[in-house]
Amino acid sequence: MILTQAMEDSTWREKLLMRAASSHPGGADINTFRRALQNAITTGDFVDYYEAASYAEAVQNAVDGLEDLLDQGYASEVVELSEEAIRLLEDALNHVDDSDGNLNLVMDQLPELHYQACEVAHPDPRALAARLFHLELESGFGFFTNALETYADILGDEGRAAYQQLVDAEWQKLPAIAQRDNPHFDYRHHKLRRMKESLVAAMGDLDELVAVMAQDLSQPSRYLQIAQLYDNAGQIEEAIHWAEDGLEAFQDSYTCLLYTSDAADD
């Protein structure tokens, strides 16, 4: 009866296989968990609205298997597997109509599971920093946003320094963007700029932060943000200077007039 049910219910079969793999006398069979994640998350074809709930259930069961694996002491393996699962899910989300948010829970669960596993496993801080940097930068769905802040205690000084070096190295490759350039939106570049700004903002140097933000003046909102920073710091002349520069640069922009009106009201 068990075999028959396992043949008919793939989700239940994967549960049994993961349970057996975690109890293997020679240690957990990690490849079974890896295969379960791949089978559950990889879509093959487009998953439409009506199939999304059952798809999310299969993904949830596979991720729950990682929770069990962590509870049994395989923290390092869960760090690796959760990163693989997130990469798979990043790709799969482009092929799933998840209008009802069936995957929201597992999208929150996986990063939390990764963090918990790192707390136990104490991975090499420089290696972890490198992986977090790439995971955050390449994510199109917000996985590992603000990773440096979230993992600060785990990374320590060595990991934080390595992370900052990676951000700085990529940042130096980016060209400055002015309003006249009218660039096509590049999500990766946008993400890297925000990561760099967050690093500098944490250091508390306003002028350096403005210098970084001024590398992208492609939108009137950028001028407004800088003006507001100076205004909040009590440097009114600098705030006015940036507001006027923004108005001049975007004098034909209706959006700029709206921003200027809002700023004047404040």
Side-chain angles (χ1 to χ4, degrees):
M1 290 174 64
I2 292 175
L3 289 174
T4 300
Q5 179 67 19
M7 292 298 293
E8 295 176 352
D9 187 339
S10 61
T11 299
W12 194 65
R13 181 172 65 250
E14 293 296 345
K15 281 185 176 181
L16 290 177
L17 290 172
M18 286 189 289
R19 182 65 61 86
S22 65
S23 305
H24 195 277
D29 181 2
I30 303 304
N31 285 330
T32 295
F33 288 87
R34 179 173 288 110
R35 179 183 53 77
L37 290 168
Q38 291 173 343
N39 289 344
I41 300 174
T42 304
T43 59
D45 297 323
F46 184 78
V47 178
D48 64 26
Y49 174 83
Y50 301 100
E51 300 172 313
S54 58
Y55 169 79
E57 181 182 2
V59 174
Q60 185 69 65
N61 286 328
V63 174
D64 287 344
L66 297 188
E67 294 268 13
D68 295 337
L69 192 62
L70 179 59
D71 290 341
Q72 296 186 45
Y74 292 94
S76 295
E77 290 80 0
V78 172
V79 171
E80 178 183 350
L81 290 170
S82 57
E83 290 177 10
E84 291 182 20
I86 287 171
R87 290 190 181 96
L88 289 170
L89 193 57
E90 282 270 3
D91 180 66
L93 285 167
N94 293 307
H95 308 284
V96 179
D97 180 358
D98 191 33
S99 301
D100 284 347
N102 296 289
L103 290 166
N104 288 350
L105 179 60
V106 77
M107 290 175 67
D108 292 335
Q109 181 182 4
L110 271 171
E112 178 62 25
L113 179 61
H114 181 269
Y115 178 84
Q116 292 173 355
C118 286
E119 280 189 307
V120 177
H122 302 294
D124 176 82
R126 296 187 67 85
L128 176 61
R131 297 200 307 276
L132 288 173
F133 168 76
H134 290 292
L135 286 165
E136 179 176 1
L137 183 59
E138 303 299 336
S139 175
F141 293 92
F143 288 106
F144 296 103
T145 298
N146 298 323
L148 182 60
E149 179 181 348
T150 302
Y151 287 78
D153 292 341
I154 297 173
L155 290 170
D157 293 339
E158 183 179 2
R160 288 194 295 271
Y163 186 96
Q164 184 167 350
Q165 288 172 2
L166 290 166
V167 173
D168 289 342
E170 288 298 315
W171 167 257
Q172 291 173 6
K173 301 176 185 178
L174 294 183
I177 303 176
Q179 181 270 338
R180 62 182 179 274
D181 295 331
N182 192 25
H184 294 293
F185 182 78
D186 187 315
Y187 184 82
R188 187 177 186 276
H189 288 182
H190 172 80
K191 196 75 171 287
L192 182 59
R193 291 183 188 281
R194 295 300 173 268
M195 291 163 69
K196 175 64 174 178
E197 289 170 13
S198 295
L199 279 173
V200 177
M203 297 168 60
D205 188 322
L206 176 57
D207 290 334
E208 185 175 354
L209 175 58
V210 170
V212 170
M213 295 179 67
Q215 291 295 303
D216 177 5
L217 296 175
S218 59
Q219 300 293 329
S221 60
R222 301 290 289 173
Y223 287 89
L224 179 61
Q225 289 166 1
I226 293 173
Q228 288 174 330
L229 285 173
Y230 278 122
D231 184 37
N232 293 337
Q235 300 184 37
I236 307 303
E237 290 186 4
E238 285 292 337
I240 293 173
H241 166 72
W242 277 97
E244 291 178 343
D245 281 357
L247 183 58
E248 181 179 356
F250 290 89
Q251 57 186 316
D252 297 327
S253 169
Y254 175 70
T255 303
C256 185
L257 293 176
L258 290 178
Y259 280 131
T260 306
S261 176
D262 290 342
D265 292 340
D266 292 341

